Amino acid sequence: MSVKAFTASVGSLLLLSAISLPTYANDFRHIADPLNLNDSLYVGFDGDVFKLGGSFATSHQKFSANTNLGGDKWHMGYLYSTDQLNVRASVQHAKTGSPHGNASYYKFQLGLMTEHQGWFSTQVFTEIAVNHLAVKSYTDSTAANVNMTVLKPLSEHWYSEFYAQGNLGIDGVERYEAQSWLALGYQINPQWSWLVRYQYDWEKLESFENEDTQWVFAIRSQF
């Protein structure tokens, strides 16, 4: 997937978001809804890496985490959601390329998410955020982030997800990132579902550039 094609996809989704109507949180939410305030469990394969995770939720907050078995790649998230405000924060630890080889990094992100009801029961979630990337023994960078999730029920059980995000450095460091995926899921019942996802990643950090694609398989539950 080229950067030009990725940009065109994001532009189309932004247009869909702009003409859709705002909706708000309610008690029943789809298992794939990013504003879902339910306890959950997750197991899956991200490429050739086994991952597991889960979340704990209250009436307006959710704490989530996932990790690979080695423990060197993990993600922790926080969501505060009301009818008027959806705040998301996260800390991610993983590895990224640098001119000196693969280096571990931490990424801290804070953003505001809005939800819209699109055409034909399509839910559109858009988030504007800022994040800070710290790559060990290399560089730090602060970037603006825009991301969008499109959730579309196809039938009583089948659903699709499209996700796209982009990062742009705002502190003078040359940093660009793009990520997108397309997923097909099957919701066995309101508590259980599985999905298959094809994911594309591209990053440029100063003189280093990397592009990657991978398949993801996951089983999710909520209760």
Side-chain angles (χ1 to χ4, degrees), residues 182-211:
L182 182 63
L184 178 66
Y186 185 82
Q187 187 164 318
I188 301 170
N189 55 45
Q191 286 74 45
W192 290 93
S193 78
W194 59 263
L195 69 85
V196 176
R197 185 173 87 199
Y198 184 69
Q199 181 171 315
Y200 166 82
D201 297 280
W202 174 78
E203 63 176 335
K204 179 176 175 57
L205 181 60
E206 296 187 327
S207 60
F208 178 83
E209 184 173 354
N210 184 54
E211 189 173 27

Side-chain angles (χ1 to χ4, degrees), residues 99-190:
H100 310 297
N102 288 334
S104 63
Y105 71 83
Y106 288 91
K107 183 186 289 183
F108 308 87
Q109 180 159 308
L110 179 65
L112 295 174
M113 175 170 279
T114 60
E115 175 186 4
H116 293 79
Q117 185 71 44
W119 294 326
F120 307 110
S121 301
T122 300
Q123 290 177 272
V124 181
F125 305 88
T126 55
E127 182 180 20
I128 297 176
V130 62
N131 62 55
H132 182 75
L133 177 71
V135 183
K136 184 178 180 181
S137 302
Y138 183 53
T139 189
D140 285 10
S141 170
T142 301
N145 174 276
V146 177
N147 64 76
M148 177 178 290
T149 303
V150 179
L151 174 61
K152 169 63 178 173
L154 303 175
S155 68
E156 181 182 356
H157 295 286
W158 292 98
Y159 64 93
S160 65
E161 290 180 81
F162 181 81
Y163 174 82
Q165 74 151 328
N167 283 295
L168 175 64
I170 57 175
D171 61 350
V173 176
E174 186 180 14
R175 175 181 161 210
Y176 306 96
E177 295 177 14
Q179 182 184 72
S180 65
W181 72 60
L182 182 63
L184 178 66
Y186 185 82
Q187 187 164 318
I188 301 170
N189 55 45

